[in-house]
Amino acid sequence: MNDSRVQLRSAITSLPAYVPGARIPVGASAYKVSSNENPYPPLPSVVAAIVDAAAEINRYPDMGNTEIAEALATFLNETASEKARARGEITSENIVFGTGSVAVLAHILEAVVDQGDEVIFPWRSFEAYPIVVSVAGGTSVPVDLKDTGELDLDAMAAAVTERTKVVLVCTPNNPTGPSVTHSAVMEFLAKVPRDVVVVLDEAYLEFVRMDDALDALAALEAHSNVVVLRTFSKAYGLAGLRVGYAVARPRVAAGIRAAATPFGVNLVAQRAVISSLEARDELFARVDALVAERTRLQEGLRAQGWNIPDSQANFVWLQLGERTISIAAECTARGLLVRPFAGEGIRVSVGEPEATDLFLELAQEWL
Ligand SMILES: *Cc1c(COP(=O)(O)O)cnc(C)c1O
């Protein structure tokens, strides 16, 4: 059973593999700081909602995601800045859900990219980008980061051509960590043609603590080509349930929705989203604790003499070049699973305080 004459598209056979973060082997004990997950177990109230939902899984979920869209719209309006609300409130018309924001991103591309159209993204950045672009039939246009690990928005604006359909802005950037400022994004948007979609991928939004932080909903208010991309996987701790969403102008949102898998977001995930939005104060207190832990990790590394980018996310980046793979192996041997990018560096998620202690102890030895 190992051959077939079926012709796969060349875009599929030449895809780079998505390398998932290392998993803890059964029976072993280690800290998993390889996938930017939330180290806290789910809240009891969220688990209770999930258990209740399990009794109803003989039924299809609400295909229109009506209830979660309304709950999310209410939450976004409550927390939106005045600038973001200048021309009215967000409604469920503006929101599209999917099975993780990676799936939503794929649907955005399917909705606007024709064969050979160009999609610009920073690089090194989220490794799913070149994959979803190829699957959609697009051509990847990676634009180098600055030496500081920051996005080079000027170079990205300069890379726009007549074939460009989408620009992906990853902020904070995975795996390096820095965020772009609101002013820089507004300047960038002023240079990009209005028919080019600009996706603001804010998977780590809740961890950002900086001056002039991006107000993506205000950017959407001012520019009809903006699509804001967010997820329940990281700060909300629902990575295993797969829910992400986009916020866009109604016509754009309808286009993305049309490309989405029907009944994609399952019933259990929908209930967990409702219950997580209700428990947001508890969840955001955990995010504050993780941000404090990030500060301890970054300051610890800098005190040792490491030159690291300023991370606004729940991970830090160490540029290690040729030593990357051997250092990652050493981490694994010591019970710490990190994410290596061969020849470049390692990404270490902010996890349990014990994981921070262990990492700082190891990092000291590599200098
Ligand atoms: C983790 C991550 C996502 C979200 O993943 P989902 O679990 O599919 O929602 C999106 N973008 C970036 C940059 C990420 O790091």
Side-chain angles (χ1 to χ4, degrees):
M1 290 260 286
N2 56 10
D3 61 25
S4 166
R5 284 166 165 270
V6 168
Q7 296 266 316
L8 298 169
R9 287 166 54 210
S10 61
I12 297 295
T13 52
S14 58
L15 283 181
Y18 187 107
V19 183
R23 301 179 69 89
I24 302 171
V26 177
S29 116
Y31 296 105
K32 182 172 185 289
V33 286
S34 51
S35 299
N36 300 342
E37 294 152 333
N38 196 314
Y40 291 97
L43 290 171
S45 60
V46 175
V47 173
I50 289 171
V51 170
D52 287 350
E56 294 172 47
I57 55 168
N58 55 313
R59 302 292 177 192
Y60 278 102
D62 166 17
M63 182 169 137
N65 294 307
T66 335
E67 214 186 328
I68 52 175
E70 276 165 20
L72 180 63
T74 303
F75 166 66
L76 293 176
N77 288 320
E78 275 171 18
T79 48
S81 68
E82 241 162 73
K83 253 192 287 175
R85 281 175 303 165
R87 263 181 281 170
E89 308 237 287
I90 289 167
T91 72
S92 40
E93 293 270 278
N94 298 107
I95 299 172
V96 189
F97 282 97
T99 55
S101 56
V102 175
V104 181
L105 176 59
H107 303 321
I108 295 168
L109 300 179
E110 284 151 11
V112 298
V113 172
D114 277 318
Q115 197 66 35
D117 285 342
E118 294 172 357
V119 179
I120 296 171
F121 51 78
W123 202 252
R124 160 74 57 191
S125 188
F126 188 31
E127 63 182 326
Y129 291 162
I131 300 174
V132 289
V133 170
S134 293
V135 172
T139 299
S140 286
V141 180
V143 173
D144 285 347
L145 299 176
K146 298 183 194 170
D147 289 343
T148 52
E150 295 169 293
L151 265 57
D152 190 341
L153 288 179
D154 290 339
M156 289 171 70
V160 173
T161 71
E162 304 236 296
R163 295 298 320 252
T164 306
K165 282 290 178 68
V166 183
V167 184
L168 307 178
V169 175
C170 190
T171 182
N173 187 53
N174 175 8
T176 52
S179 281
V180 285
T181 62
H182 186 71
S183 323
V185 170
M186 295 310 281
E187 230 170 86
F188 170 76
L189 286 167
K191 292 187 221 161
V192 175
R194 280 183 306 174
D195 57 352
V196 172
V197 172
V198 175
V199 176
L200 302 175
D201 183 349
E202 294 193 289
Y204 303 96
L205 162 78
E206 297 82 358
F207 299 97
V208 174
R209 303 284 185 278
M210 66 190 275
D211 293 336
D212 194 18
L214 174 60
D215 182 344
L217 297 178
L220 168 62
E221 184 68 56
H223 293 270
S224 62
N225 53 331
V226 165
V227 176
V228 181
L229 190 63
R230 294 180 181 169
T231 180
F232 282 92
S233 295
K234 311 280 163 55
Y236 289 85
L238 298 182
L241 281 179
R242 318 299 307 126
V243 191
Y245 65 93
V247 189
R249 296 293 180 92
R251 205 171 70 84
V252 179
I256 304 167
R257 213 174 280 124
T261 313
F263 300 107
V265 181
N266 72 68
L267 187 144
V268 177
Q270 289 175 343
R271 296 292 174 75
V273 164
I274 297 286
S275 143
S276 296
L277 287 172
E278 283 168 0
R280 58 179 174 260
D281 291 347
E282 278 171 277
L283 290 169
F284 291 165
R286 291 172 158 192
V287 169
D288 285 340
L290 289 167
V291 168
E293 195 60 25
R294 171 183 81 202
T295 304
R296 190 166 80 86
L297 178 54
Q298 292 206 113
E299 285 178 357
L301 288 168
R302 289 194 176 121
Q304 291 176 2
W306 288 94
N307 179 17
I308 51 169
D310 171 41
S311 174
Q312 292 293 322
N314 65 343
F315 52 82
V316 297
W317 171 250
L318 256 70
Q319 212 168 338
L320 296 168
E322 295 313 312
R323 293 193 296 163
T324 298
I325 295 300
S326 63
I327 282 181
E330 187 189 330
C331 289
T332 305
R334 297 282 296 270
L336 201 58
L337 305 181
V338 301
R339 172 70 171 89
F341 294 81
E344 296 177 63
I346 59 172
R347 188 192 66 199
V348 185
S349 312
V350 177
E352 297 82 351
E354 296 79 4
T356 306
D357 293 340
L358 180 54
F359 187 72
L360 286 173
E361 192 186 312
L362 293 175
Q364 180 92 58
E365 296 166 15
W366 307 324
L367 269 173

